Amino acid sequence: MDVGERIKYRRKQLGLSAEQIAAELGVSPATVYRYESNEIMNMRIDKLEPIAKALCTTPAYLMGWDDTADVHASDNDAGLCYVQYAGPVAAHFNATPTEEHEFRCMPSEWLGHRRPEDFFVASVDGNSMYPHFHDGDDILCLRCSDMGHSGRVGIIVFGNDEATLKRIDYQPGEDWIDLVPVNPEYQTKRIEGADLEQCRVVGRVIKVIRTVDEA
């Protein structure tokens, strides 16, 4: 990819509009489109620096010198970072999340001392975890393979990549786990014995990200 294609690819990867990038750079959206179409040729490295900052990447990536697009959260002077979005995950059973090349922007302080790549964001699909989790909520999850202790809420994948968001109950040393909904209209699902070999925890919920429309 050339410089313009990398600018466009990175902008779309982050889920940002040309208008948002234009506002960050203090230029018009038309200028952003000119960058992306390479109408502005021989762009100097000092011109690329603010563009790279707005895209949370480096001039070296935009120039094609480095294939690593992401920068560490502490490198973002605005106190923001970008966490990978993994698509919807069911708050019921029989749904499969998709691995999309998108990111969600959020305050770096939400991550504590961890790196953005230690987390992912998923969207709640369904009502079995209502009222703690609403259909359409985004959830920030810490990547992990173990819940640490019983009773935490996490995402578990089993079978043919079937995934669900549930409270995960278990007793150490016993060969069963319960996937427990919050909504009493839904039933607990127990997985035990040999079926446990088909299960894996992929994340523990850290924060619910909810937009409330007060209009």
Side-chain angles (χ1 to χ4, degrees):
M1 291 188 291
D2 57 31
V3 175
E5 289 173 331
R6 282 178 176 259
I7 292 173
K8 183 176 182 178
Y9 176 82
R10 181 61 174 169
R11 174 175 66 78
K12 289 184 174 294
Q13 188 180 50
L14 297 176
L16 299 174
S17 67
E19 288 74 14
Q20 289 173 300
I21 298 300
E24 179 73 19
L25 298 175
V27 300
S28 69
T31 298
V32 174
Y33 289 127
R34 290 178 66 201
Y35 292 155
E36 295 180 350
S37 63
N38 283 314
E39 288 185 29
I40 301 177
M41 303 299 292
N42 300 320
M43 192 177 295
R44 301 191 313 272
I45 192 71
D46 60 332
K47 178 70 74 173
L48 276 177
E49 287 177 353
I51 299 174
K53 182 177 178 180
L55 294 170
C56 200
T57 189
T58 63
Y61 170 77
L62 295 181
M63 292 293 293
W65 301 336
D66 186 352
D67 288 333
T68 302
D70 298 320
V71 296
H72 194 278
S74 62
D75 293 333
N76 190 337
D77 295 336
L80 300 176
C81 64
Y82 293 90
V83 174
Q84 187 174 14
Y85 174 66
V89 63
H92 55 274
F93 300 107
N94 303 315
T96 302
T98 57
E99 192 73 11
E100 300 181 11
H101 298 290
E102 295 183 17
F103 289 79
R104 294 288 189 265
C105 181
M106 62 190 61
S108 301
E109 63 185 27
W110 288 3
L111 310 188
H113 299 295
R114 295 181 182 270
R115 303 168 301 168
E117 51 265 39
D118 293 332
F119 297 84
F120 66 91
V121 174
S123 296
V124 177
D125 179 16
N127 296 306
S128 74
M129 297 300 284
Y130 182 85
H132 295 174
F133 301 87
H134 296 187
D135 185 26
D137 282 347
D138 278 351
I139 47 175
L140 175 64
C141 302
L142 175 66
R143 297 181 188 272
C144 63
S145 58
D146 190 319
M147 294 303 293
H149 61 73
S150 178
R152 285 175 162 169
V153 176
I155 296 176
I156 190 166
V157 176
F158 52 98
N160 296 320
D161 289 333
E162 184 179 327
T164 189
L165 169 72
K166 289 291 182 292
R167 193 185 81 208
I168 301 175
D169 290 351
Y170 59 91
Q171 289 291 336
E174 298 192 13
D175 64 346
W176 60 266
I177 59 173
D178 282 345
L179 306 183
V180 184
V182 174
N183 190 333
E185 296 181 4
Y186 294 78
Q187 295 183 342
T188 295
K189 182 181 180 73
R190 172 161 290 196
I191 301 176
E192 57 188 334
D195 290 339
L196 285 173
E197 297 178 4
Q198 304 300 317
C199 298
R200 68 184 190 278
V201 171
V202 296
R204 175 163 56 87
V205 177
I206 302 298
K207 183 179 289 291
V208 180
I209 308 168
R210 180 176 301 153
T211 299
V212 179
D213 185 0
E214 297 179 347

